[in-house]
């Protein structure tokens, strides 16, 4: 597209500035006054050179030499370019003899044209300093715009990297989730085939959520809370009477958005490491939404049997910690505490209110 949004935003200030400088003499100089007409011609004469200086430096010299890390060449070229412009300005001034349009012509005195000679431009020194300012401004403008462009490109690259990493981390949840769910159903088949069949139906509903609903950046709070509750119901079907399960999920859920599957790894960890079929154990899960934050608490016992002595949380916990860092930065709070008998997790995250 020729006139893209970025190009318009880039060049609109240039066109606006040029238009302002071009129409300014119309409001400043009196065209019925010969003296002011003289100054107006001088103004446009100098403006033409300053425009050439600005854009040659802005579009050619700076990109070709400064950004190519040839800084010494850049300053040499800039100095040579400055003297070239001043020389051309001097020559053209002498060639067209613009001083014959000067204030002396107002008195009516006829000023004979000069012979062909290279006289000193009366404003050469002023033009030199003005040219230095213009070239410095154009160089600074080009450098700032390049830095902004590089910064924007870097942000896009970083966003793509974060999105890719988040997608990878989120995709890791599904195999881990299915492994635990299928392992639970496998155990139910030998105990109660009817419960196993119900568990398969629940799992199919959860799979639909994982495949279709969770494949986005954020999901509705209601859907995430429903999914969490259904997963807990699926996992609790295999629990024995020795396991005490306490679930509190807020019935009133505000309208908002949250990244999907944030709490499942902690719940998986509790059901995997927090129950025992030989001794009394417990799992306590609390999930509430208040104002603009969600509070998730999960506490489970640590059985004393050998296979559960090392309760480190596995891949899922590390995964969710990385996701939280990428998504929320320092706006979340994750508190994990472990004692000899208990494992406790508290996660507080903000959510987007609709």
């Amino acid at each position: 597209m020729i006139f893209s949004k970025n190009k318009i935003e880039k060049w609109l200030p240039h066109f606006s500035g040029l238009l302002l400088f071009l129409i300014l003499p119309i409001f400043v100089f009196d065209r019925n006054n010969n003296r002011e007409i003289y100054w107006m011609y001088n103004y446009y004469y100098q403006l033409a050179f300053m425009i050439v200086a600005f854009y040659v430096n802005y579009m050619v010299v700076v990109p070709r030499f400064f950004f190519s890390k040839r800084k010494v060449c850049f300053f040499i070229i800039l100095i040579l370019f400055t003297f070239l412009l001043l020389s051309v300005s001097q020559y053209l001034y002498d060639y067209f003899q613009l001083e014959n349009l000067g204030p002396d012509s107002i008195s009516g005195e006829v000023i004979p044209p000069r012979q062909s000679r290279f006289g000193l431009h009366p404003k050469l020194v002023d033009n030199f300093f003005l040219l230095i300012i213009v070239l410095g401004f154009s160089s600074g403008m080009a450098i700032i715009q390049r830095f902004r462009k590089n910064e924007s490109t870097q942000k896009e690259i970083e966003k793509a990297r974060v999105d890719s990493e988040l997608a990878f981390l989120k995709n890791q949840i599904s195999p881990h989730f299915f492994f635990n769910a299928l392992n639970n159903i496998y155990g139910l088949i030998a105990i109660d085939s009817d419960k196993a069949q119900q568990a398969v139906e629940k799992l199919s509903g959860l799979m639909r959520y994982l495949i279709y609903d969770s494949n986005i950046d954020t999901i509705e709070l209601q859907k995430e809370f429903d999914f969490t509750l259904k997963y807990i119901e699926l996992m609790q079907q295999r629990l024995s009477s020795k396991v005490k399960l306490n679930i509190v999920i807020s019935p009133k859920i505000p309208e908002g958005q949250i990244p999907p599957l944030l709490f499942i790894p902690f719940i998986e960890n509790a059901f995997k490491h927090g129950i025992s079929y030989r001794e009394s154990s417990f799992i306590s899960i609390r999930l509430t939404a208040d104002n603009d934050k969600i509070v998730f608490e999960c506490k489970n016992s640590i059985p004393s049997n050998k296979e559960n002595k090392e309760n480190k949380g596995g891949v899922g916990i590390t995964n969710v910690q990385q996701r939280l860092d990428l998504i929320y930065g320092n706006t979340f709070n994750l508190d994990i505490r472990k004692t000899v008998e208990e494992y406790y997790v508290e996660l507080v995250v903000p959510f987007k209110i609709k």
Side-chain angles (χ1 to χ4, degrees):
M1 188 176 181
I2 299 176
F3 299 104
S4 64
K5 182 180 178 181
N6 290 337
K7 287 185 178 180
I8 292 175
E9 290 178 351
K10 178 181 178 181
W11 290 105
L12 185 59
H14 292 262
F15 290 124
S16 302
L18 286 174
L19 182 63
L20 177 63
F21 282 115
L22 288 172
I23 66 174
L24 186 63
I26 298 175
F27 302 100
V28 174
F29 297 109
D30 183 4
R31 284 174 289 179
N32 296 319
N33 187 314
N34 288 338
R35 181 184 293 272
E36 294 198 16
I37 290 176
Y38 161 74
W39 291 114
M40 186 171 68
Y41 282 139
N42 263 281
Y43 171 86
Y44 280 122
Y45 177 77
Q46 292 180 0
L47 180 63
F49 275 93
M50 296 309 157
I51 291 174
V52 171
F54 184 97
Y55 285 103
V56 170
N57 182 56
Y58 177 80
M59 301 179 68
V60 179
V61 179
V62 175
R64 181 165 295 182
F65 296 98
F66 187 87
F67 295 139
S68 62
K69 298 182 179 180
R70 290 184 288 176
K71 300 295 191 300
V72 176
C73 289
F74 166 72
F75 287 109
I76 293 174
I77 294 296
L78 205 59
I79 293 171
L80 293 176
F81 180 53
T82 301
F83 283 107
L84 175 64
L85 282 173
L86 289 173
S87 300
V88 172
S89 174
Q90 166 94 17
Y91 175 79
L92 291 178
Y93 187 90
D94 184 76
Y95 181 80
F96 290 110
Q97 297 185 8
L98 290 182
E99 68 272 21
N100 289 339
L101 296 174
D104 290 337
S105 63
I106 299 172
S107 61
E109 180 183 352
V110 178
I111 301 176
R114 286 188 306 171
Q115 299 299 320
S116 179
R117 61 186 177 83
F118 196 71
L120 185 65
H121 194 306
K123 289 196 173 185
L124 188 63
V125 176
D126 292 343
N127 284 346
F128 174 76
F129 287 109
L130 181 59
L131 193 58
I132 292 299
I133 293 173
V134 169
L135 291 175
F137 182 75
S138 67
S139 298
M141 191 172 180
I143 292 168
I144 290 172
Q145 285 191 346
R146 174 62 68 93
F147 283 159
R148 286 181 177 176
K149 182 180 178 182
N150 290 344
E151 185 179 358
S152 177
T153 303
Q154 188 62 36
K155 286 181 179 179
E156 290 177 0
I157 294 173
E158 181 64 18
K159 184 179 182 301
R161 184 194 68 80
V162 171
D163 290 344
S164 176
E165 190 170 346
L166 280 172
F168 173 75
L169 292 172
K170 192 165 66 175
N171 290 336
Q172 278 188 318
I173 295 175
S174 297
H176 197 257
F177 169 86
F178 286 128
F179 174 79
N180 288 332
L182 290 173
N183 187 50
N184 186 59
I185 293 173
Y186 177 78
L188 278 176
I189 291 174
I191 301 172
D192 190 330
S193 59
D194 291 335
K195 281 189 177 181
Q197 185 176 355
Q198 294 173 10
V200 170
E201 292 177 0
K202 287 183 180 292
L203 180 59
S204 65
L206 298 177
M207 286 175 64
R208 280 193 295 271
Y209 178 86
L210 284 173
I211 294 172
Y212 300 109
D213 293 338
S214 70
N215 194 27
I216 51 178
D217 293 334
T218 58
I219 193 71
E220 294 177 12
L221 284 178
Q222 183 67 57
K223 289 184 177 181
E224 183 66 14
F225 276 44
D226 289 344
F227 174 81
T228 303
L229 180 59
K230 289 177 181 177
Y231 178 74
I232 294 171
E233 292 174 350
L234 172 63
M235 298 301 291
Q236 76 178 89
Q237 290 186 3
R238 193 184 170 190
L239 299 182
S240 67
S241 58
K242 291 185 178 182
V243 182
K244 184 179 179 182
L245 183 63
N246 180 35
I247 306 298
V248 178
I249 294 184
S250 177
K252 279 191 174 183
I253 303 172
E255 292 186 356
Q257 299 282 325
I258 188 175
L261 309 175
L262 281 182
F263 314 116
I264 292 301
F266 297 111
I267 297 173
E268 286 182 333
N269 186 62
F271 277 97
K272 182 177 181 181
H273 300 288
I275 62 174
S276 173
Y277 298 101
R278 300 177 183 177
E279 57 187 85
S280 297
S281 55
F282 72 90
I283 296 175
S284 178
I285 298 171
R286 182 180 181 86
L287 182 59
T288 59
D290 184 23
N291 296 329
D292 59 348
K293 65 180 180 180
I294 296 172
V295 180
F296 170 78
E297 294 177 286
C298 184
K299 183 165 61 175
N300 61 267
S301 57
I302 300 180
S304 59
N305 52 303
K306 182 179 180 180
E307 62 269 21
N308 279 318
K309 274 189 176 180
E310 294 296 327
N311 186 11
K312 295 181 180 179
V315 177
I317 302 301
T318 303
N319 184 315
V320 78
Q321 287 176 318
Q322 292 175 344
R323 285 187 69 205
L324 288 168
D325 287 333
L326 290 171
I327 296 171
Y328 293 107
N330 58 356
T331 62
F332 76 97
N333 181 57
L334 177 61
D335 182 19
I336 299 179
R337 297 194 298 268
K338 179 185 176 183
T339 66
V340 177
E341 298 179 347
E342 291 183 356
Y343 188 86
Y344 174 78
V345 175
E346 181 185 48
L347 174 61
V348 181
V349 295
F351 66 87
K352 296 179 181 178
I353 301 174
K354 280 189 176 182

